[in-house]
Amino acid sequence: MTLNFQYDIQQIIMLKAILKTGVIVGTLDALAAIIILAKMNAVGVSQFIASGAFGKEAFSGGAAMTITGILFHYLFAFSFTTLYFFCFRMQHFCKAKAG
């Protein structure tokens, strides 16, 4: 049984890139929403995100709903970052096969 260490290193590098990019994307998106759209109301933005799952109860849920909204926001940011990352890799794979 042999291990392909090159493949393992590439997976680690890819995971680090996704994690770093997800944090950057999530943070910049949240800051843009807070500063531009919500006029510096960070709690309202987080509760609005949580209201997608919990409805109007999210606005009276206090800190728990605020934290839930933040977690949902970063879940979405990491999900889309991962999706874009794999789509980008597939694009290069398809070009390599075609050329």
Side-chain angles (χ1 to χ4, degrees):
M1 181 174 171
T2 61
L3 295 174
N4 186 348
F5 290 110
Q6 182 67 25
Y7 183 71
D8 292 338
I9 291 172
Q10 286 177 346
Q11 284 184 324
I12 291 170
I13 291 170
M14 181 172 57
L15 181 61
K16 283 183 179 181
I18 290 172
L19 290 175
K20 286 178 185 178
T21 306
V23 168
I24 292 169
V25 165
T27 303
L28 290 177
D29 182 56
L31 286 173
I34 291 166
I35 293 169
I36 297 170
L37 298 176
K39 308 288 189 255
M40 304 300 285
N41 183 6
V43 173
V45 170
S46 297
Q47 289 176 339
F48 180 75
I49 295 168
S51 73
F54 297 103
K56 291 182 181 180
E57 295 149 6
F59 296 104
S60 60
M65 287 298 160
T66 302
I67 293 169
T68 302
I70 292 169
L71 292 175
F72 279 158
H73 178 76
Y74 277 98
L75 173 69
F76 299 147
F78 280 107
S79 298
F80 278 99
T81 299
T82 304
L83 176 71
Y84 290 149
F85 187 83
F86 285 113
C87 287
F88 180 76
R89 288 181 56 91
M90 279 302 285
Q91 177 187 9
H92 288 298
F93 175 75
C94 292
K95 284 182 180 179
K97 291 290 184 181

